[in-house]
Amino acid sequence: MDQDLANQLFEIGAFILFLDVPANLEFGIDYNAWTIGPLFKGVKLIPPGLHFIYFSATSKEGKEGIRTGFFHFFESREILVREWNPQTEDIRDETELDPNQVERLRYNIREFDRNMGPYPLDPPIYYDRWKKLTNYITPGLVRRILPNNGKVSHLPDKTADLNPDNDVATAKDRRLGKAIEKEEGMEFTDFDLRKSFPKGATGEEVTRWSLDKSWLARELLKNAYHNDYKTMLGELQLAFVCLLMAQNFSGFNQWKHLVHLLCSCSELIEEKPDMFIEFMDVLQFQLNECPEDFYRDILSENNFTGIMLKTFQRNIPKSNQELVKRYKKLNKFIQRKFDWEIPNDEDEDENEDDAPVIVDLGEY
């Protein structure tokens, strides 16, 4: 690490003190992960701001266990104390520890210095990527969506996590030896894409707002995001990080729902072009962070990404050159990274799978 940067972080950097951790645990913060040894006591010189701390135990046979983690906004010079609980193979936070002991540990933090690794900033590229991946996420958003001290709950099997057809209620948590009824403590904004019209809507309005989901997006912006579209984009980012780094089922579903919503708002795109330019910025960076197999097997399952981006293409007004230019940039990026191009309407007739569904009024 550059000495000037080290000196700066010495003055403002935060700490996570992690006690009684077993050797061979996978421990990570943001994009960095290690298999730790018996002397490990945590991480120091953490840049203030949002970070994701995660870990997973390894069995005697070398099999990696469930990845568990939590988000935390570190203040300058903050010292966060966590302790390993061998019974649950999870961590105890400060609410479960003796407050007097926690204060003594903070006061004597220098005693642990040689057993704490510095936050990796040499080179700073990974930290820069992390900041860009999470730049819309606010402390308030984390508190609302993850009220259990920022903890991301989980399902045990990575392949099962990301299949919406699996019965979540039957998944087994190996650490606790019991069934998981739900990913508890996950409070993503709830909305139904199939009910994207106001109560009492006429048949014409039901059809209109089922095809163009601008009414639903406006309602969410007003009622859930305090008319701040950046907070909505923050939830899109939070859902994606939960998916990418914690293989989280709820994050996967919420990411898909928000992408579907934002790609289906033809009227709102004309009203708020800046919102959708920033949406494309967020989406392109997220896709750039995906390994090719992750994109192919998960994000593009049942051609989800392709259908959504084609829908989005149709909703971009040709009169707004800034939107058109940004979409072309997104298209070129996808073609370069995944060797796949979003088809133009003139190049391909709309097939039945891509076509919008007209709502059956008999259901309402």
Side-chain angles (χ1 to χ4, degrees), residues 170-186:
T170 64
K172 296 286 185 179
D173 185 334
R174 288 192 299 103
R175 300 176 309 164
L176 303 180
K178 63 181 183 180
I180 300 174
E181 295 179 2
K182 181 187 176 184
E183 287 181 325
E184 297 177 351
M186 308 288 288

Side-chain angles (χ1 to χ4, degrees), residues 201-216:
T202 65
E204 181 181 351
E205 289 171 333
V206 169
T207 298
R208 175 188 178 185
W209 297 124
S210 294
L211 298 175
D212 174 6
K213 303 202 179 290
S214 297
W215 179 86
L216 176 58

Side-chain angles (χ1 to χ4, degrees), residues 76-278:
S76 177
R77 303 288 295 167
E78 180 179 2
I79 301 171
L80 194 68
V81 179
R82 294 292 186 267
E83 183 180 81
W84 183 253
N85 183 336
Q87 280 72 44
T88 61
E89 293 189 2
D90 205 343
I91 57 171
R92 298 185 181 99
D93 64 29
E94 291 171 24
T95 62
E96 302 172 87
L97 302 176
D98 178 352
N100 293 324
Q101 180 193 20
V102 170
E103 285 307 309
R104 284 195 298 271
L105 291 167
R106 287 187 173 131
Y107 183 78
N108 296 308
I109 189 67
R110 293 294 178 202
E111 294 180 9
F112 302 98
D113 186 76
R114 65 176 183 172
N115 298 115
M116 302 180 80
Y119 184 94
L121 283 169
D122 188 16
I125 182 171
Y126 293 109
Y127 178 54
D128 291 341
R129 284 167 55 193
W130 171 253
K131 288 192 294 183
K132 194 168 183 180
L133 188 68
T134 60
N135 60 329
Y136 288 95
I137 302 174
T138 64
L141 192 64
V142 172
R143 284 194 300 269
R144 176 170 72 82
I145 294 174
L146 303 170
N148 187 17
N149 289 321
K151 186 174 181 180
V152 178
S153 56
H154 56 272
L155 291 174
D157 180 73
K158 292 182 181 179
T159 58
D161 289 355
L162 303 172
N163 184 352
D165 296 328
N166 281 340
D167 183 0
V168 180
T170 64
K172 296 286 185 179
D173 185 334
R174 288 192 299 103
R175 300 176 309 164
L176 303 180
K178 63 181 183 180
I180 300 174
E181 295 179 2
K182 181 187 176 184
E183 287 181 325
E184 297 177 351
M186 308 288 288
E187 302 293 341
F188 286 111
T189 303
D190 185 37
F191 61 94
D192 188 347
L193 288 163
R194 298 167 300 180
K195 302 286 181 69
S196 56
F197 44 84
K199 288 183 179 179
T202 65
E204 181 181 351
E205 289 171 333
V206 169
T207 298
R208 175 188 178 185
W209 297 124
S210 294
L211 298 175
D212 174 6
K213 303 202 179 290
S214 297
W215 179 86
L216 176 58
R218 289 191 194 100
E219 287 296 295
L220 289 171
L221 284 169
K222 180 175 67 174
N223 297 321
Y225 302 111
H226 307 290
N227 289 315
D228 182 1
Y229 71 79
K230 293 179 185 293
T231 307
M232 179 183 277
L233 295 179
E235 183 161 348
L236 181 69
Q237 289 185 328
L238 186 59
F240 185 78
V241 176
C242 288
L243 165 64
L244 183 68
M245 295 193 166
Q247 295 85 44
N248 177 266
F249 179 85
S250 296
F252 175 54
N253 275 341
Q254 189 70 358
W255 182 85
K256 288 181 68 176
H257 289 160
L258 285 168
V259 169
H260 188 163
L261 175 70
L262 290 168
C263 286
S264 307
C265 296
S266 59
E267 190 172 282
L268 194 61
I269 290 177
E270 295 195 46
E271 290 178 13
K272 297 180 179 292
D274 290 347
M275 170 180 173
F276 291 89
I277 287 172
E278 290 180 51

